[in-house]
Amino acid sequence: MKNKFLGIAALATLLGACAAPQEKAQEQTAINDSNTPLHLMQPDYNTPYGVGSVEEVKSHMDRVLNYLESCTPARVVDKKTGETITDYANMGNDAQLERGTFRLASYEWGVTYSAMIAAAEATGDKAYMDYVTKRFNFLAEVAPHFKAIFEKKGRIDGQMRQILDPHALDDAGAMCAAMVKAQLKDPSMKLTPLIENYINYIMNGEYRLADGTFARTRPFYNTLWLDDMFMGIPPVAWYSVIAGKEQPRYQAEAVRQVLQFAERMWVPEKKLFRHGWVESMEDHPAFHWGRANGWAILTMCEVLDALPENYPKRNEIMTLYREHVRGLAALQSGEGLWHQLLDRNDSYLETSATAIYAYCIAHGINKGWLDAMTYGPVALLAWHGVTTQIDEQGQVGGTCVGTGMAFDPAFYYYRPVHKMAAHGYGPVIWAGAEIINLLKSQHPKMNDSAVQFYRTEQKTKRAIFHEGNVDKPIL
């Protein structure tokens, strides 16, 4: 165990350990229960442990931001020549978005844009909002010109097709929600046509069950994917904020969708959601995939944020959110991360789900939905676990790649992880932003080597202390 006994002799001296004079005089003192406060030995954590600082959190976030800024260009190019196109009105059939490392309009990047908006608020650093503004303004500017080509030729760059002619909630939902948030932050942005196109697909184009629940026809007819809670519901909730007289319709739809998904997919004895539900199955297997449960709890946070506090049935969503947090907290690993299959601790530890949980739990504390004393240490440990997966370049490792649905454990156990999996980047930024808010608004402090959250600031410098009585000696 590295560093385990580092500084023990000095520590014993500083704390007035009862060592005999002749023992102090020896160059090497045998450590035992009588001469050394062994409970103050430093554990050999694999994951950083402690409170940390706002500056440390932001340094991790900044590395990710700088990496993403460098590898997600906002340009149109000729796919045959590679030359940059700036005259959008006269671009030809070979025009396409420049292929950076990540796609600018995927659902993963919708998450990333929402995260960047939150990061700008939490840090006060405009570079995060600039990342969003630059790319959204670019997409809004080029979209009409690509639309003209599409209407004339019937085909278009695939990445722009996702925007102009969405065919799935994955194409529309996360981007729509992020654009609504950006438009609310900066009304000068011209995102309304894109937002309206997205919301029209979500409300009128997506396949549904007979009762209106968002569904798919794969892998079976009338299948619910837990992922679609996030892909479909937050954009409806956020659109309600800008919907004017239509607001009640969108609020009611968002609440209805959450509760109808929960009716089929919530497993109360585990306090977790199943990943998939097939209407025609007699029994419904429950594979508690980590990231899908992340999408579910993130959906509840988004809906709770968008709805008025006195909205009917909002309390039902709040109760479900709190129960989900209880279920998740009980399954956190000692490294701070959660497992790929949450209740199977021989499955691997996964980054994107952990980052989502770090955000959602910290957000709940900051909003007053959760008790900081209970869940603050959970959120901080999750964040510290996430930081172990951010390399010096700002790339995020340990993230499960895109994942379909299965009804056997091997499928989930052996899904690959890769630093190019786009699903990890937005959640990491979002988690960091909310941890900064947590550190600014709450009162975490180390006491007897453990992270504790207090109702008020504890000003003592003692390593072990009684709450509210900094001078009371520890006997």
Side-chain angles (χ1 to χ4, degrees):
M1 301 289 282
K2 56 182 181 293
N3 300 326
K4 190 153 190 175
F5 293 98
L6 187 62
I8 289 292
L11 179 62
T13 302
L14 289 172
L15 295 174
C18 299
Q22 60 269 31
E23 291 175 323
K24 291 182 179 180
Q26 296 176 357
E27 290 186 5
Q28 292 185 338
T29 302
I31 294 171
N32 59 42
D33 180 59
S34 296
N35 64 23
T36 304
L38 298 176
H39 65 285
L40 292 178
M41 291 169 59
Q42 294 302 302
D44 187 20
Y45 293 113
N46 292 318
T47 297
Y49 186 83
V51 172
S53 68
V54 168
E55 292 74 22
E56 290 170 344
V57 176
K58 188 171 184 294
S59 70
H60 290 296
M61 295 168 62
D62 285 349
R63 290 206 309 280
V64 177
L65 169 64
N66 292 336
Y67 170 65
L68 297 182
E69 187 67 68
S70 72
C71 68
T72 51
R75 287 188 290 268
V76 177
V77 298
D78 186 299
K79 68 181 179 182
K80 290 183 177 177
T81 67
E83 294 181 358
T84 299
I85 297 171
T86 57
D87 183 4
Y88 305 137
N90 293 303
M91 62 189 182
N93 299 336
D94 293 324
Q96 67 173 28
L97 300 186
E98 183 174 351
R99 297 312 194 238
T101 303
F102 303 102
R103 292 169 291 150
L104 294 185
S106 66
Y107 75 82
E108 299 96 331
W109 238 239
V111 176
T112 301
Y113 294 128
S114 283
M116 294 285 188
I117 294 168
E121 294 177 6
T123 65
D125 186 344
K126 66 185 293 289
Y128 289 91
M129 193 65 201
D130 287 347
Y131 182 93
V132 178
T133 302
K134 177 181 177 181
R135 286 156 183 82
F136 278 179
N137 283 342
F138 164 73
L139 293 174
E141 183 180 4
V142 302
H145 304 289
F146 276 103
K147 184 178 180 180
I149 296 173
F150 186 49
E151 291 174 346
K152 184 177 181 180
K153 299 293 184 180
R155 57 186 176 82
I156 198 174
D157 171 34
Q159 292 190 20
M160 284 305 304
R161 199 277 307 158
Q162 271 190 302
I163 299 172
L164 297 173
D165 185 28
H167 281 55
L169 290 177
D170 285 1
D171 293 343
M175 285 293 292
C176 181
M179 285 188 174
V180 172
K181 294 174 193 177
Q183 190 76 63
L184 288 168
K185 288 291 177 188
D186 183 0
S188 70
M189 298 182 77
K190 299 178 181 179
L191 301 177
T192 299
L194 296 179
I195 292 170
E196 294 293 338
N197 187 56
Y198 281 138
I199 202 68
N200 179 62
Y201 173 79
I202 295 165
M203 294 295 288
N204 303 309
E206 176 63 13
Y207 183 80
R208 297 175 182 235
L209 299 183
D211 69 355
T213 308
F214 296 134
R216 306 190 196 188
T217 55
R218 67 178 176 91
F220 301 103
Y221 186 66
N222 285 357
T223 297
L224 296 192
W225 292 57
L226 191 59
D227 318 51
D228 285 343
M229 281 187 73
F230 182 76
M231 306 309 158
I233 301 174
V236 175
W238 281 110
Y239 188 80
S240 75
V241 178
I242 62 171
K245 293 180 180 180
E246 288 288 299
Q247 182 180 72
R249 175 191 174 202
Y250 290 95
Q251 290 173 331
E253 177 67 3
V255 171
R256 178 175 78 113
Q257 290 288 339
V258 171
L259 298 180
Q260 288 177 184
F261 266 91
E263 180 183 342
R264 296 170 171 95
M265 308 196 80
W266 176 247
V267 182
E269 62 270 23
K270 289 290 187 76
K271 295 183 173 62
L272 299 171
F273 287 90
R274 57 171 52 89
H275 181 206
W277 181 92
V278 179
E279 186 176 61
S280 60
M281 284 184 173
E282 293 183 7
D283 294 324
H284 296 284
F287 290 93
H288 305 295
W289 180 39
R291 188 160 66 232
N293 271 263
W295 296 139
I297 196 168
L298 185 54
T299 295
M300 289 187 280
C301 285
E302 292 279 270
V303 173
L304 291 169
D305 281 342
L307 289 177
E309 290 190 4
N310 62 350
Y311 189 82
K313 296 191 176 182
R314 184 177 184 274
N315 284 341
E316 291 184 38
I317 298 175
M318 181 69 76
T319 297
L320 184 62
Y321 162 80
R322 288 171 174 155
E323 282 294 285
H324 200 189
V325 170
R326 292 184 184 105
L328 293 170
L331 296 172
Q332 187 177 28
S333 78
E335 306 306 326
L337 296 103
W338 275 264
H339 291 273
Q340 165 79 340
L341 285 179
L342 293 169
D343 58 341
R344 302 195 184 202
N345 60 13
D346 59 341
S347 63
Y348 61 80
L349 297 172
E350 204 278 332
T351 305
S352 65
T354 299
I356 296 171
Y357 302 154
Y359 166 77
C360 292
I361 295 172
H363 189 64
I365 294 167
N366 292 331
K367 297 288 284 189
W369 306 337
L370 298 174
D371 180 15
M373 292 174 66
T374 304
Y375 295 109
V378 176
L380 273 187
L381 182 60
W383 170 250
H384 291 317
V386 166
T387 65
T388 66
Q389 302 301 313
I390 306 171
D391 67 19
E392 288 303 312
Q393 189 179 345
Q395 294 179 332
V396 176
T399 296
C400 176
V401 300
T403 295
M405 181 183 297
F407 299 101
D408 66 82
F411 173 80
Y412 295 98
Y413 273 61
Y414 289 95
R415 293 303 293 160
V417 297
H418 204 284
K419 63 185 179 182
M420 290 295 108
H423 313 72
Y425 289 87
V428 166
I429 292 287
W430 219 341
E434 203 62 33
I435 291 295
I436 285 176
N437 292 334
L438 187 78
L439 293 174
K440 288 180 176 179
S441 64
Q442 305 297 325
H443 305 288
K445 195 171 184 65
M446 297 295 290
N447 190 353
D448 199 6
S449 300
V451 174
Q452 306 289 357
F453 275 66
Y454 293 92
R455 308 292 189 205
T456 59
E457 183 181 2
Q458 304 296 301
K459 297 182 179 180
T460 183
K461 294 183 179 180
R462 290 178 181 268
I464 307 174
F465 61 89
H466 296 278
E467 181 181 7
N469 192 343
V470 299
D471 297 320
K472 183 177 180 180
I474 304 296
L475 302 177

